[in-house]
Amino acid sequence: MHVHPSERRWIWIAVLLVGAMIVLVGYTAVVMNVHPPSNVEAIDSTRLHLTPEFAEDNLGVKRESEGAVVARVVMARYMVHPQEITLPADTPILLRAASADVLHGLHVPGTNIGTQVVPGYVAQVRTRIDFDAVAKVGVANDDGSITVPIYCNEYCGLGHQSMWGRVTVTRK
Amino acid sequence: MSAVLPPSEIRRPDRLALTHLWVGFALFGVATLLGLYQLLERHGVVRPSAAGYYGSMTLHGVVMAFVLTTFFIVGFGFFVTATSLQRPIRWPRLAWLGFTTMLAGTVIAALAIATGRATVLYTFYPPMIAHWSFYVGAALLLVGSLPWTVTTIAMTVRWKRENPGRPIPLPQFGMTCCAILWSWTLVGVVVEVVALLLPVSLGLVQTIDVGLARVLFAWTLHPIVYFWLIPAYVALYSIVPKAAGGYLFSDEMGRVVFVMLLVFSLPVGLHHIFVDPEQAAGWKLMHAFGTFLVALPTLLTGFTVAASLETAGRLRGGRGLFGWIRALPWREPVVVGGILAALMLLPGGFGGLINASYAMNTMVHNTMWIPAHFHLIFGGSVVIVYFASAYYLWPKLTGRRLHSRGMATAQLWLWFAGILVLTIPWHITGLLWMPRRTAYSPYDPQIVARWRPYTGAMIAGGVILVLSGVMFLANLFLTHRNRAAETERAMEYAETVEPVVTVPGLLNGFAVWNWLLLVLMVIAFAYPIGQFFFIDVHKALAWGPR
């Protein structure tokens, strides 16, 4: 096989470039423990309202153990339940979401909160909200808090665009 | 007066190719108009209509991603196979049967979409279920491409047997990789449609395993992009250097690239569902690493294409470090198309690396960044090579001179400009968290206000693209009516700088690569698919789009 010297140099550059990307992403994943939401946990989406966790009176934000804040959300055509939640900035947050019907997505601008919400599974995101990042994209309120939308970002039917709520972020 | 074909090419499948290409391009024209309608509807220029927007988007996606591509590739593929191996297509009746099946499938699916019974987007998205005729149409379109797959592979096998030790001509080597890739690719979506979606849509079962359906679709969703891309690369390797008046820089590197595309693009599909809850992090990370490897063949292609064009520029008298660029034939449509494709591949590939970056994907997932990425790399790079190839092939297929070369190059530049004017604002608004695929933006006005400055450019981009699309179709149509006959009807492919005498067996056959693929696919998908049969899956009820 015949490889031109300049071609050989370019192959090395290409391999190093791709190798660097792999090392970089591998490092953030394995050493820094940064992963996309990947919580394989099954749930019966047709009976969400009968489970203790996703019954209506258990939705919304709760401070559970030592300082950790848990937010539970149900996505159903075409509403985010509950419509408005309040989350503290710079605090460990566990968000758990489930779909009552079809495929949905959940995204909060200015934060790392983004996941698909697939019927049959509990989607889970662990994060901290950076107040300044949210302040850059959100709506400032009189009390100093910031409001950003929490919207469905996966086509879920003809009312998809109307499926959104609000997250108000308070300073810690 | 119709031009006479050289005797060796008398049984060339010109009509077969032309018919496939015209169906693909005609429907492309319709889908381009739909794209503009979506822009106008979404940004409030025309009356808001969710049914109109999502229905239009479904048809736009199905036509661009499945119809334009499949018809182009099958038509182009038959022509390349016959002309590079210099023998007629085996089983021409089977080829026409495939065409009829694809056309029937397209019409059936399009009717289901146009009547509002299949507003599920081209990505299907169960448990939303369309009318059964949509899935039947989609299945016929896919199955109708199989005669091409079988013919391409069979003709390569026979040619190899009759020409022991000789290298398969590079264009046919590429198209054979494409056919093999397509066979592997189809497995995921065909199993999804036949085993999961059709039974639910027919009412035979009431529930569907959404996780399984999503992984099967992800199986298909990455390699399908390379099914679209390989024919464009065949044109870049084997047509563009010749048309520019130069030589292909390296035949072997072309083979390495085609094999890499085949092997690397299949076991990486989970990157489409990085933020899904039904797959564990480790499997996603493995597919992320694999996805980066797919950048290799494209980086190598960039080098080979540039080096081949440099041979052309220097032969045409270009001197100095960059002088050869000016000496290139900038009035030759297929060369201009090839160069513009390579230019768009650069930022498009960079965006792709960001999407592939595992956890970082969460930031851009389902924002405008995603359609920006694939409109740049598919609508830009790939489709512009389809245009450029059509300009090159039309005179050979019809025997008529191209209606206007000036209009052709202007059209390609316009397409390039339109894609940039459309996708640069899309990338920016994506980073500003604008979601993709919403019929309008009912969020708090302060949030929407951040996206608004970019809407003018988006609509301008859409208008430029429609204009360019019309120019393309008009040029092809008028070529048929051109009185001037084309004298250069013989199809010749680029020679290499140094003649190819022998190539290593590994780069002249596919058995080893298929076995390797089998192993990689088992590693990549056995657990991610198998898990649904032993974890406690709760299937989802079927829903309509309303």
Side-chain angles (χ1 to χ4, degrees):
Chain A
M1 193 171 153
H2 160 84
V3 181
H4 194 274
S6 63
E7 203 167 45
R8 196 180 301 262
R9 275 197 296 277
W10 177 250
I11 292 172
W12 273 112
I13 294 173
V15 168
L16 285 176
L17 206 68
V18 169
M21 296 287 296
I22 290 178
V23 169
L24 203 65
V25 168
Y27 181 82
T28 61
V30 177
V31 180
M32 295 168 68
N33 206 22
V34 182
H35 298 282
S38 311
N39 171 53
V40 188
E41 179 184 340
I43 193 168
D44 186 351
S45 275
T46 59
R47 300 165 62 84
L48 273 190
H49 54 303
L50 299 176
T51 62
E53 181 171 11
F54 289 100
E56 190 173 5
D57 61 357
N58 197 45
L59 299 181
V61 181
K62 287 192 174 158
R63 216 170 256 278
E64 290 193 347
S65 53
E66 278 303 295
V69 171
V70 182
R72 290 191 180 80
V73 175
V74 166
M75 308 285 283
R77 305 212 289 191
Y78 296 103
M79 257 194 272
V80 181
H81 306 266
Q83 267 287 288
E84 308 210 355
I85 56 175
T86 301
L87 291 171
D90 306 308
T91 309
I93 289 169
L94 171 65
L95 180 126
R96 286 169 63 78
S99 163
D101 42 44
V102 296
L103 188 64
H104 297 288
L106 179 160
H107 212 155
V108 182
T111 73
N112 286 343
I113 299 173
T115 179
Q116 291 281 140
V117 185
V118 178
Y121 300 88
V122 178
Q124 182 169 290
V125 178
R126 285 178 192 280
T127 188
R128 298 167 80 94
I129 298 176
D130 177 18
F131 190 86
D132 296 333
V134 171
K136 262 188 223 157
V137 293
V139 181
N141 301 312
D142 291 341
D143 64 356
S145 62
I146 302 289
T147 298
V148 281
I150 173 172
Y151 52 64
C152 177
N153 73 346
E154 188 65 275
Y155 173 66
C156 56
L158 295 188
H160 164 57
Q161 67 286 331
S162 307
M163 185 167 168
W164 66 286
R166 290 187 182 88
V167 178
T168 297
V169 178
T170 55
R171 277 186 203 277
K172 193 182 178 184
Chain B
M1 187 194 91
S2 76
V4 179
L5 283 172
S8 64
E9 306 205 31
I10 270 175
R11 287 172 68 200
R12 224 165 64 171
D14 287 3
R15 262 171 54 86
L16 185 68
L18 204 53
T19 315
H20 277 91
L21 296 180
W22 256 124
V23 171
F25 287 140
L27 285 165
F28 151 85
V30 176
T32 307
L33 287 174
L34 292 174
L36 179 60
Y37 162 73
Q38 285 150 235
L39 280 168
L40 297 176
E41 191 279 346
R42 190 179 198 197
H43 298 295
V45 182
V46 299
R47 193 174 60 84
S49 159
Y53 176 82
Y54 296 119
S56 171
M57 176 168 280
T58 304
L59 196 52
H60 175 84
V62 166
V63 169
M64 294 301 199
F66 300 143
V67 179
L68 164 68
T69 49
T70 312
F71 276 91
F72 177 87
I73 293 161
V74 170
F76 178 81
F78 275 132
F79 184 78
V80 168
T81 298
T83 50
S84 65
L85 298 183
Q86 295 195 317
R87 51 179 58 179
I89 292 297
R90 280 183 88 178
W91 313 305
R93 282 212 198 111
L94 181 70
W96 282 107
L97 179 69
F99 170 79
T100 316
T101 311
M102 280 163 56
L103 188 61
T106 303
V107 171
I108 293 169
L111 278 178
I113 299 167
T115 51
R117 288 177 296 175
T119 310
V120 295
L121 308 191
Y122 78 103
T123 35
F124 299 172
Y125 290 149
M128 219 184 309
I129 299 294
H131 190 258
W132 58 266
S133 61
F134 174 70
Y135 303 114
V136 169
L140 286 178
L141 172 61
L142 300 175
V143 169
S145 66
L146 288 181
W148 163 74
T149 315
V150 172
T151 308
T152 305
I153 296 171
M155 285 182 68
T156 298
V157 169
R158 187 165 175 167
W159 189 93
K160 260 191 81 175
R161 208 167 44 226
E162 291 171 6
N163 296 273
R166 281 181 61 199
I168 303 164
L170 182 64
Q172 178 63 7
F173 186 86
M175 290 316 293
T176 310
C177 276
C178 191
I180 296 171
L181 175 81
W182 185 228
S183 317
W184 280 96
T185 303
L186 278 178
V187 173
V189 71
V190 167
V191 172
E192 186 196 4
V193 168
V194 174
L196 300 177
L197 296 173
L198 264 177
V200 184
S201 67
L202 289 167
L204 302 176
V205 291
Q206 312 306 319
T207 58
I208 183 163
D209 186 338
V210 180
L212 177 60
R214 284 180 69 69
V215 178
L216 287 172
F217 198 74
W219 167 305
T220 296
L221 207 49
H222 197 63
I224 197 173
V225 178
Y226 291 85
F227 165 65
W228 307 335
L229 189 72
I230 288 179
Y233 277 17
V234 167
L236 290 179
Y237 277 90
S238 296
I239 296 178
V240 170
K242 172 102 186 162
Y247 294 90
L248 174 62
F249 190 74
S250 167
D251 178 274
E252 282 113 322
M253 206 42 70
R255 287 165 202 270
V256 170
V257 162
F258 289 128
V259 165
M260 279 184 177
L261 289 174
L262 171 63
V263 175
F264 290 161
S265 72
L266 270 150
V268 299
L270 288 192
H271 70 225
H272 285 273
I273 48 177
F274 271 159
V275 298
D276 269 34
E278 79 277 1
Q279 292 295 342
W283 294 105
K284 293 178 181 173
L285 187 60
M286 194 178 94
H287 283 238
F289 290 159
T291 308
F292 288 125
L293 291 180
V294 190
L296 272 177
T298 293
L299 287 167
L300 298 184
T301 297
F303 178 89
T304 306
V305 172
S308 306
L309 286 172
E310 187 178 341
T311 66
R314 297 211 183 279
L315 283 172
R316 297 169 64 91
R319 285 171 201 290
L321 197 53
F322 296 111
W324 60 270
I325 297 175
R326 197 147 26 104
L328 288 173
W330 288 96
R331 288 165 189 278
E332 178 60 49
V334 71
V335 176
V336 172
I339 294 170
L340 295 179
L343 285 180
M344 288 186 280
L345 209 55
L346 214 67
F350 173 75
L353 287 175
I354 289 182
N355 304 343
S357 295
Y358 193 54
M360 203 200 282
N361 173 277
T362 313
M363 293 291 88
V364 293
H365 180 78
N366 275 353
T367 66
M368 283 309 292
W369 175 277
I370 299 301
H373 166 69
F374 67 70
H375 278 77
L376 180 58
I377 205 152
F378 171 70
S381 291
V382 173
V383 170
I384 212 166
V385 177
Y386 290 3
F387 293 156
S389 306
Y391 288 135
Y392 190 73
L393 294 182
W394 238 250
K396 298 190 188 301
L397 294 173
T398 61
R400 311 274 108 204
R401 297 262 295 274
L402 190 64
H403 168 72
S404 166
R405 286 154 63 91
M407 185 164 134
T409 41
Q411 184 266 327
L412 295 169
W413 278 105
L414 264 185
W415 190 262
F416 175 69
I419 288 286
L420 292 184
V421 174
L422 182 75
T423 58
I424 290 172
W426 278 5
H427 275 107
I428 296 171
T429 51
L431 294 179
L432 295 172
W433 284 278
M434 181 177 180
R436 71 192 276 208
R437 291 171 164 172
T438 56
Y440 37 91
S441 302
Y443 318 112
D444 283 323
Q446 296 95 322
I447 304 289
V448 181
R450 293 180 195 280
W451 309 328
R452 192 149 290 148
Y454 302 94
T455 54
M458 295 173 190
I459 293 170
V463 171
I464 297 172
L465 290 172
V466 166
L467 190 70
S468 172
V470 169
M471 281 167 70
F472 170 71
L473 293 174
N475 211 348
L476 294 191
F477 178 74
L478 292 171
T479 297
H480 286 269
R481 315 188 57 172
N482 199 344
R483 282 165 190 277
E486 170 71 28
T487 47
E488 292 270 323
R489 287 194 69 180
M491 184 67 193
E492 284 166 1
Y493 294 96
E495 309 269 337
T496 37
V497 173
E498 290 171 47
V500 190
V501 185
T502 56
V503 294
L506 274 179
L507 295 180
N508 203 36
F510 306 94
V512 174
W513 305 117
N514 273 313
W515 285 111
L516 176 63
L517 253 180
L518 184 66
V519 173
L520 290 176
M521 289 307 267
V522 168
I523 294 172
F525 281 104
Y527 185 87
I529 289 177
Q531 64 165 354
F532 297 110
F533 297 95
F534 59 80
I535 63 173
D536 187 20
V537 174
H538 297 279
K539 294 186 179 180
L541 290 170
W543 297 74
R546 277 166 212 281

